[in-house]
Amino acid sequence: MKEKHYIGVDIGGTATKIGLTNHAHELLDHRSIPTDPDRGPAALIDDIASAVTRMASNTPAAIGVGCPGPLSPSRGIVFSSPNLNGWENIPLQELMQTRIGVPACIENDANVAALGQYAALPLEEKSDLVLLTLGTGIGSGTIINGQIFHGHHETGSEWGHCIVQPNGRACPCGQHGCLEQYSSATAMTIIAREEIEKGGDTSLTSGATAEMIVNAARDKDPIASSVLNSACLYLAIAIINIQHAINPKYVFLGGGVSGAGEFLLEGVVEHVRAQRWSAHDDHPIIRLAPLANTAGIVGAATLAQQHAGA
Amino acid sequence: MKEKHYIGVDIGGTATKIGLTNHAHELLDHRSIPTDPDRGPAALIDDIASAVTRMASNTPAAIGVGCPGPLSPSRGIVFSSPNLNGWENIPLQELMQTRIGVPACIENDANVAALGQYAALPLEEKSDLVLLTLGTGIGSGTIINGQIFHGHHETGSEWGHCIVQPNGRACPCGQHGCLEQYSSATAMTIIAREEIEKGGDTSLTSGATAEMIVNAARDKDPIASSVLNSACLYLAIAIINIQHAINPKYVFLGGGVSGAGEFLLEGVVEHVRAQRWSAHDDHPIIRLAPLANTAGIVGAATLAQQHAGA
């Protein structure tokens, strides 16, 4: 009998990645195609189907799709995704199944990325984890007992919108003081620009990207250091709250900002240490996410495998 | 065949409650005895055994015990409980089983209270919930899929120590800005005293209890209103973070401060509404906990029944 293969798809606003895995969650092949969401889901699914045909010599056993939400995994519907212009109430699970002819499941993109990070852990290290993806916004996924955690409304794990500063910066979501308004790449550039316009001492210009801010902070630029320190402080508060809410073994930092690597990690860990409580020795291990660009496709394929009961 | 009965025990610093339930989690009988922790666990367990004999005409099927932590449910050990002076590394599960002769399990007191609230919900309303118990401190318990949620370190659900104010009030736990430092009965009395000593306009004296503060706030006393409003604001922030972390159907408010009833609830709900996000309609239903004094014993008996697989 031939080994079963699984397809993982990671739909992003710009690019869609497609990967082929075996039962051990090993990535055998992967490729990237343009998403071009304006042409609608059917055209994208056609391109995904072509890529699957080229990659898999046999029909895969199942296909998993990570997609920007909001969406319902249980109903298989993408409600209305701001990152996929104009997609409204798309029955993505059914469209995938019909076009590709194998069982499909859909899931929030940050959730499949978290499952991908879990799948990549060695067996003896597998345990509950929370992934924070630091990019334009802050996404998050929670894995409990090897499964994506959804909560009652299927919208669990939105740590980017936990409030870390009462009456803090306004968030488009309607709340004030969300983590995303302090520690995302976008937030760092906005806060740096505000500080530059106030006329502080800095080598940065008002168009500085998060990467430029991190590099300047490495060189001890005062405004860059202050912006990065604040991003790390609020991440630390979120991680302490994750500890008291979810009590995971790991908190992983992924996404674009995590490209700042050990430098970012040190800043976060330092603030967590300064706050750590004495009641229990239940502090999570904080690490840079082990999988960089392939977490989404590995996680989506792992989810497909879980749904197939394999 | 006779109906099976279960015993739930709720050990508190002052009193220990013992209840008898049937398979439907109905409380058939209950009583209270002094805990007197200084005499050690063996003497207390003797008294519990006597009470069980008096209450149950037949040997109960199993016994569940809620106890102030820290403790390990899986190992059956109370590590060292500040509320039970001098109890250190007590194998409480084994001691109970040996003395009473039926299977026993132990659990954190806030967790069994949360399970008790869950057990009391009508079948069609049963769903994921978080209980916050507002008293001297703030305890919490999380129920997911009808089970107590523990997390990797068995210390999950410590919402009293989620940070709601960066660089906020110092907490004995070692952190700063814990919810417990703003919204517990103790915190309200301390903050009121500070405000009174600053010489504000109030009818309160510096020895005012949380109950007095709530009553004065009902009469629109300025300092009392401000203290209660602040307690409600920080509870609202914690509840929004619970929404984004756990995504439960319900958040229940229990414990002594919740005796302030609808007045407290209105204040909390108002602050949650002012903050509510627009991304999903996944806001938890916030209610006063339906069971008042018996949640712990009902929850402990329910846990015993779950462990017995019944």
Side-chain angles (χ1 to χ4, degrees), chain A residues 71-306:
Chain A
L71 54 76
S72 164
S74 68
R75 295 166 57 198
I77 293 172
V78 179
F79 294 125
S80 106
S81 182
N83 291 344
L84 301 170
N85 315 336
W87 286 34
E88 281 266 337
N89 292 318
I90 305 297
L92 185 61
Q93 180 184 18
E94 195 187 319
L95 292 174
M96 293 292 295
Q97 284 184 172
T98 307
R99 179 66 183 79
I100 303 185
V102 299
C105 54
I106 72 167
E107 183 53 81
N108 180 283
D109 50 2
N111 287 349
V112 291
L115 188 60
Q117 301 296 350
Y118 177 85
L121 287 174
L123 192 62
E124 66 279 11
E125 289 188 29
K126 284 195 199 298
S127 192
D128 297 351
L129 67 85
V130 174
L131 169 70
L132 299 177
T133 58
L134 314 173
T136 316
I138 295 186
S140 72
T142 299
I143 306 298
I144 295 173
N145 296 330
Q147 307 281 330
I148 292 169
F149 175 72
H150 288 114
H152 175 76
H153 300 275
E154 292 198 291
T155 48
S157 204
E158 285 282 0
W159 282 99
H161 295 280
C162 73
I163 295 176
V164 291
Q165 182 66 61
N167 302 314
R169 301 176 72 90
C171 185
C173 83
Q175 299 177 175
H176 283 76
C178 296
L179 175 64
E180 191 164 286
Q181 296 305 316
Y182 295 90
S183 305
S184 66
T186 312
M188 286 171 63
T189 59
I190 292 172
I191 296 169
R193 195 186 314 139
E194 289 171 1
E195 292 302 312
I196 292 164
E197 282 165 8
K198 280 189 209 154
D201 176 20
T202 186
S203 63
L204 295 172
T205 61
S206 63
T209 63
E211 194 182 350
M212 291 174 192
I213 294 165
V214 171
N215 287 337
R218 274 205 186 88
D219 294 339
K220 304 201 192 308
D221 177 276
I223 283 185
S225 300
S226 152
V227 169
L228 185 65
N229 182 57
S230 159
C232 290
L233 167 67
Y234 286 109
L235 275 172
I237 287 171
I239 290 171
I240 289 165
N241 291 349
I242 288 171
Q243 172 184 345
H244 299 317
I246 305 291
N247 211 239
K249 181 169 180 185
Y250 299 106
V251 174
F252 286 138
L253 303 178
V257 179
S258 76
E262 297 299 328
F263 188 60
L264 174 84
L265 187 65
E266 277 168 27
V268 172
V269 167
E270 195 176 300
H271 281 294
V272 170
R273 279 224 186 94
Q275 284 279 347
R276 61 197 295 145
W277 79 336
S278 53
H280 304 288
D281 184 16
D282 64 351
H283 311 276
I285 299 167
I286 307 167
R287 281 199 199 159
L288 296 173
L291 289 189
N293 292 320
T294 57
I297 48 179
V298 171
T302 302
L303 185 69
Q305 188 174 352
Q306 287 183 347

Side-chain angles (χ1 to χ4, degrees), chain B residues 69-123:
Chain B
L71 55 77
S72 165
S74 67
R75 295 166 58 200
I77 294 171
V78 179
F79 294 126
S80 106
S81 183
N83 291 345
L84 301 171
N85 315 336
W87 286 33
E88 282 265 336
N89 292 317
I90 305 298
L92 185 61
Q93 179 184 16
E94 195 187 319
L95 292 174
M96 293 291 296
Q97 284 183 173
T98 306
R99 179 64 182 80
I100 304 185
V102 299
C105 55
I106 72 167
E107 183 55 78
N108 179 283
D109 50 3
N111 287 350
V112 291
L115 189 59
Q117 301 296 350
Y118 177 85
L121 286 174
L123 192 61

Side-chain angles (χ1 to χ4, degrees), chain B residues 4-286:
Chain B
K4 281 188 180 169
H5 290 157
Y6 304 90
I7 295 286
V9 179
D10 182 10
I11 302 179
T14 309
T16 291
K17 295 176 207 161
I18 303 144
L20 180 75
T21 68
N22 61 13
H23 73 284
H25 318 303
E26 288 163 338
L27 195 57
L28 307 175
D29 191 5
H30 63 110
R31 56 193 69 198
S32 182
I33 61 175
T35 301
D36 195 1
D38 289 343
R39 61 193 172 138
L44 175 62
I45 294 171
D46 277 345
D47 287 356
I48 293 170
S50 303
V52 169
T53 309
R54 283 194 300 273
M55 287 164 71
S57 52
N58 305 100
T59 307
I63 185 164
V65 184
C67 183
L71 55 77
S72 165
S74 67
R75 295 166 58 200
I77 294 171
V78 179
F79 294 126
S80 106
S81 183
N83 291 345
L84 301 171
N85 315 336
W87 286 33
E88 282 265 336
N89 292 317
I90 305 298
L92 185 61
Q93 179 184 16
E94 195 187 319
L95 292 174
M96 293 291 296
Q97 284 183 173
T98 306
R99 179 64 182 80
I100 304 185
V102 299
C105 55
I106 72 167
E107 183 55 78
N108 179 283
D109 50 3
N111 287 350
V112 291
L115 189 59
Q117 301 296 350
Y118 177 85
L121 286 174
L123 192 61
E124 66 280 10
E125 288 188 30
K126 284 194 198 298
S127 192
D128 298 350
L129 67 86
V130 173
L131 169 71
L132 300 176
T133 58
L134 314 173
T136 316
I138 295 186
S140 72
T142 299
I143 305 298
I144 295 174
N145 296 329
Q147 306 281 327
I148 292 168
F149 175 72
H150 287 112
H152 175 76
H153 300 275
E154 291 197 291
T155 48
S157 206
E158 285 283 2
W159 283 99
H161 296 279
C162 74
I163 296 177
V164 291
Q165 181 65 61
N167 302 313
R169 301 177 73 90
C171 185
C173 83
Q175 299 178 174
H176 284 76
C178 296
L179 175 63
E180 190 164 289
Q181 295 306 315
Y182 296 90
S183 305
S184 65
T186 312
M188 285 170 63
T189 59
I190 292 171
I191 296 170
R193 195 186 314 137
E194 289 171 2
E195 293 302 312
I196 293 163
E197 281 166 8
K198 281 188 208 154
D201 176 19
T202 186
S203 64
L204 295 171
T205 61
S206 64
T209 63
E211 194 180 350
M212 291 174 192
I213 294 166
V214 171
N215 286 336
R218 274 206 185 88
D219 294 338
K220 304 201 191 309
D221 177 276
I223 284 185
S225 299
S226 151
V227 168
L228 184 65
N229 182 57
S230 160
C232 290
L233 167 67
Y234 285 109
L235 274 173
I237 288 172
I239 290 171
I240 289 165
N241 291 349
I242 288 170
Q243 173 185 345
H244 298 318
I246 305 291
N247 210 238
K249 181 169 180 184
Y250 299 105
V251 174
F252 286 137
L253 304 178
V257 179
S258 74
E262 297 298 329
F263 188 60
L264 174 84
L265 187 64
E266 277 168 27
V268 172
V269 168
E270 194 177 302
H271 281 294
V272 170
R273 280 224 184 94
Q275 285 279 344
R276 63 197 296 148
W277 79 338
S278 53
H280 304 288
D281 184 16
D282 63 350
H283 310 277
I285 298 166
I286 306 166

